[in-house]
């Protein structure tokens, strides 16, 4: 799950990272009067979207007075933002963060990422912050410092000091920096993150250390350990994906027109590949889970059919512990409950498959059966094309 900048900063706060005062977050429909300013300003108004490069795209503005800040925040809400990271797509700005601006003297890049090659978290840092790290890795890789971390110990003192020397951190904030780097690694480990990034980490003209931006990507598989994260909206998920999640179905929307209902993630992946091989495109990845009960199959139909692109449904279920005849009853019962207006192709395999197929063929429901995944994929592609 990717967190918005202000959500990341709320977590940073718990780890004592130095930040400017946040005035507030404005959402669509909010009045900018809600923002209660105190202090001198200037203020910064920042579009809360899941993409970097906002600065250059008009998603970061500075205001000298509270009135201007309110005005800019109101203007930014609902705006369409295209940055170099959105692949040409426009993101709607649904939330805007207003906080105190900093008088930035120097920008540093600091992140912790899970490195599969190292098999450990790695701290990545560069004295050249602010710009894209991908760009820097291409043009000046020698400016990037990498420090692998033992996840059982966190960032050790000597490693943090070495990092600070490498980044030429001034003596006055040396200790504060090493504490910050250690806290960032602690946060990464405790929050089960895949990525935690501060770009930029600023040293102000008055020599203070300030976190300017935040990016946190957490590991969905560890969400069960983080109740406070599960209660947050998943900004990347579509409406259908969110609904699927609340009813416990593993669903990811795709671009094609063949709705797929499969049990098991591996089989679901194989089904997508086979559909592609047969010349079609899946509309989704959907894993109904181990127990393909009437209830789960009904819910899965409902979810698949919410996607208006779906022209045919392919059910590919392997009856292992769940027997094929029970699954067939599930499919028949579910299709009585849900109005399926598109062709249905079913491939069953496994225990009691003969009995399962018989139930389907004598059900009176228009179902096209297939004896193999390959045959099922071909039939589904044909059906989706209207043949
Ligand atoms: P993005 O990574 O999406 O471009 P950032 O939060 O990194 O967004 O902001 C981009 C740039 O805007 C920063 O490098 C900094 O120069 C400026 N900026 C952002 N926030 C502040 C702030 N609070 N005070 C001063 N300048 C800021
Ligand atoms: Mg940034």
């Amino acid at each position: 799950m990717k967190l918005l900048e202000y959500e990341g900063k709320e977590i940073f706060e718990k780890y004592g990272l130095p930040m400017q005062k946040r005035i507030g977050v404005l959402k669509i429909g909010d009045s900018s009067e809600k923002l209660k300013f105190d202090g001198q300003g200037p203020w910064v108004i920042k579009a809360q979207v899941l993409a970097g490069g906002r600065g250059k795209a008009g998603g970061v503005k500075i205001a000298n007075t509270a009135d201007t800040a309110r005005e800019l925040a109101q203007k930014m809400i609902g705006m369409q933002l295209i940055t170099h990271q959105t692949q040409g797509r426009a993101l709607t700005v649904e939330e805007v963060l207003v906080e105190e601006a900093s008088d930035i003297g120097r920008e540093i890049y600091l992140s912790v990422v899970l490195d599969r090659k190292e098999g450990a978290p790695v701290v990545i840092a560069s004295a050249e912050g602010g710009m894209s790290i991908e760009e820097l890795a291409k043009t000046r890789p020698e400016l990037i410092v990498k420090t692998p971390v033992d996840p059982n110990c966190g960032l050790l003192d000597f490693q943090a000091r070495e990092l600070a020397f490498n980044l030429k951190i001034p003596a006055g904030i040396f200790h504060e920096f090493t504490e910050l780097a250690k806290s960032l690694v602690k946060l990464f480990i405790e929050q089960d993150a895949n990525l935690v990034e501060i770009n930029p980490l600023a040293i102000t003209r008055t020599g203070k250390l300030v976190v300017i931006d935040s990016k946190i990507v957490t590991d969905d598989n560890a969400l069960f350990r983080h109740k406070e994260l599960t209660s947050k909206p998943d900004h990347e998920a579509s409406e259908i994906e969110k609904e699927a999640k609340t009813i416990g179905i593993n669903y990811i929307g795709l671009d094609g027109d063949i709705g797929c209902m499969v049990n098991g993630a591996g089989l679901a992946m194989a089904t997508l590949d086979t559909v592609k091989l047969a010349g079609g495109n899946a509309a989704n990845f959907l894993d109904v889970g181990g127990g393909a009960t009437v209830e789960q199959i009904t819910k899965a139909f409902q979810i698949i059919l919410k996607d208006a692109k779906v022209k045919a449904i392919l059910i590919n279920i392997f009856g292992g512990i769940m027997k094929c005849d029970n699954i067939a009853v599930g499919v028949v019962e579910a299709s009585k409950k849900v109005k399926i207006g598109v062709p249905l192709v079913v491939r069953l395999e496994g225990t009691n498959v003969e009995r399962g197929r018989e139930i389907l063929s004598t059900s009176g429901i228009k179902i096209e059966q297939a004896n193999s995944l390959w045959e099922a994929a071909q039939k589904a592609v044909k059906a989706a094309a209207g043949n």
Side-chain angles (χ1 to χ4, degrees):
M1 202 160 99
K2 286 186 187 164
L3 303 187
L4 292 172
E5 176 189 351
Y6 79 88
E7 294 172 323
K9 284 182 169 173
E10 282 166 6
I11 298 180
F12 280 2
E13 200 141 63
K14 291 187 194 148
Y15 287 81
L17 270 49
M19 281 175 295
Q20 290 292 60
K21 190 163 168 224
R22 290 191 298 288
I23 301 302
V25 176
L26 215 57
K27 302 190 186 204
I28 287 185
D30 282 352
S31 157
S32 58
E33 294 304 318
K34 179 186 147 190
L35 300 168
K36 300 285 175 238
F37 290 86
D38 62 7
Q40 292 290 309
W43 321 100
V44 64
I45 298 95
K46 305 180 82 174
Q48 298 300 286
V49 290
L50 293 175
R54 294 165 301 166
K56 291 192 188 97
V60 179
K61 300 270 186 214
I62 303 273
N64 285 320
T65 65
D67 283 345
T68 323
R70 284 201 177 94
E71 207 176 293
L72 288 171
Q74 203 85 63
K75 260 196 211 155
M76 204 178 272
I77 281 279
M79 174 182 151
Q80 300 287 310
L81 205 65
I82 302 178
T83 83
H84 70 89
Q85 285 189 4
T86 63
Q87 282 110 20
R89 251 178 351 118
L91 302 176
T92 306
V93 179
E94 293 179 349
E95 295 177 73
V96 168
L97 166 69
V98 181
E99 65 177 20
E100 277 177 350
S102 298
D103 189 11
I104 300 175
R106 235 184 95 186
E107 298 194 337
I108 293 165
Y109 176 93
L110 185 64
S111 72
V112 190
V113 62
L114 193 67
D115 187 314
R116 285 163 199 276
K117 224 154 121 196
E118 292 285 348
V122 170
V123 178
I124 299 178
S126 173
E128 300 293 315
M131 64 193 286
S132 137
I133 194 75
E134 293 84 359
E135 192 55 37
L136 198 63
K138 267 189 234 151
T139 53
R140 309 278 309 275
E142 71 281 3
L143 294 178
I144 298 175
V145 191
K146 290 186 181 178
T147 314
V149 175
D150 182 336
N152 296 311
C153 315
L155 188 69
L156 300 172
D157 285 335
F158 83 91
Q159 291 179 305
R161 282 197 297 272
E162 206 167 63
L163 195 61
F165 283 127
N166 267 321
L167 297 174
K168 302 190 172 56
I169 302 295
I173 50 169
F174 196 92
H175 180 70
E176 197 186 350
F177 174 85
T178 55
E179 288 303 307
L180 181 151
K182 287 195 299 186
S183 299
L184 199 66
V185 171
K186 187 165 183 273
L187 182 159
F188 177 91
I189 293 165
E190 285 180 358
Q191 299 292 325
D192 288 302
N194 285 329
L195 171 74
V196 177
E197 184 186 77
I198 306 177
N199 188 25
L201 169 65
I203 300 177
T204 65
R205 284 182 211 283
T206 49
K208 280 207 273 219
L209 204 55
V210 185
V211 169
I212 296 290
D213 194 7
S214 95
K215 184 170 176 184
I216 297 185
V217 182
T218 61
D219 181 352
D220 283 353
N221 293 314
L223 273 180
F224 69 96
R225 284 205 281 246
H226 303 283
K227 293 279 173 290
E228 66 304 333
L229 283 177
T230 37
S231 60
K232 281 192 199 304
D234 183 348
H235 304 287
E236 264 191 313
S238 68
E239 286 310 313
I240 310 179
E241 285 168 351
K242 281 182 203 161
E243 202 177 322
K245 201 171 179 180
T246 58
I247 55 178
I249 285 178
N250 199 354
Y251 172 97
I252 296 163
L254 301 169
D255 293 333
D257 55 9
I258 299 171
C260 296
M261 189 193 304
V262 188
N263 65 336
L267 192 58
M269 295 300 284
T271 307
L272 303 195
D273 284 347
T274 314
V275 165
K276 188 84 193 172
L277 198 63
N281 282 301
N284 62 269
F285 164 100
L286 188 153
D287 168 15
V288 275
T293 59
V294 178
E295 214 192 352
Q296 281 303 92
I297 296 172
T298 307
K299 284 177 187 168
F301 271 133
Q302 285 164 339
I303 290 290
I304 290 173
L305 289 165
K306 278 201 176 26
D307 180 354
K309 300 194 302 300
V310 169
K311 300 237 169 54
I313 295 178
L314 165 56
I315 301 185
N316 181 23
I317 290 186
F318 180 79
I321 297 166
M322 272 292 281
K323 296 184 180 65
C324 286
D325 46 343
N326 291 339
I327 294 162
V329 172
V331 172
V332 172
E333 288 305 309
S335 49
K336 281 181 196 159
K337 290 184 181 174
V338 185
K339 193 185 164 302
I340 303 166
V342 296
L344 191 58
V345 179
V346 182
R347 182 255 182 163
L348 288 181
E349 194 52 87
T351 317
N352 294 353
V353 66
E354 294 307 333
R355 177 84 195 106
R357 287 187 187 149
E358 196 186 317
I359 293 169
L360 290 181
S361 55
T362 55
S363 68
I365 296 165
K366 206 164 169 288
I367 293 174
E368 177 111 45
Q369 292 204 61
N371 292 317
S372 69
L373 174 52
W374 179 231
E375 189 191 333
Q378 286 175 306
K379 283 184 167 169
V381 171
K382 232 170 127 184
N387 300 316

